[in-house]
Amino acid sequence: LYQGKSYYKKGDLDQASDILLSCLNGAKDVNSCEAHYLLAQISYDKKQYQSSIETLYDFNNIYFNYDYWYGKS
């Protein structure tokens, strides 16, 4: 997750996406929750608005019990 966030902050969105996607394959915890949220943000930053919305809908269905991230989405 931290490596993906680092690439995101540097503006390397493609590399960040690849790393964050690998975080989603692990346990469904707060780290994968944040990774999923950041993937939606990356889609939005790339002006892929429909993809961003779909990612957030998926996010809300999976991580509804993480109040902080659910509220942010």
Side-chain angles (χ1 to χ4, degrees):
L1 175 65
Y2 293 110
Q3 190 176 20
K5 288 170 65 173
S6 174
Y7 280 112
Y8 176 74
K9 289 191 187 261
K10 287 199 280 187
D12 190 351
L13 301 181
D14 293 327
Q15 187 67 28
S17 292
D18 291 342
I19 292 170
L20 293 170
L21 280 171
S22 69
C23 292
L24 295 181
N25 296 331
K28 299 295 183 213
D29 60 4
V30 69
N31 292 320
S32 63
C33 180
E34 185 175 0
H36 206 132
Y37 177 82
L38 286 172
L39 284 169
Q41 184 65 50
I42 288 170
S43 293
Y44 185 85
D45 292 346
K46 289 181 170 182
K47 300 187 183 336
Q48 298 171 344
Y49 302 118
Q50 188 61 35
S51 174
S52 178
I53 290 169
E54 290 169 3
T55 302
L56 287 174
Y57 283 142
D58 290 341
F59 172 89
N60 287 335
N61 289 330
I62 297 170
Y63 300 106
F64 57 88
N65 53 344
Y66 291 96
D67 294 333
Y68 174 79
W69 293 105
Y70 188 76
K72 239 181 134 156
S73 69

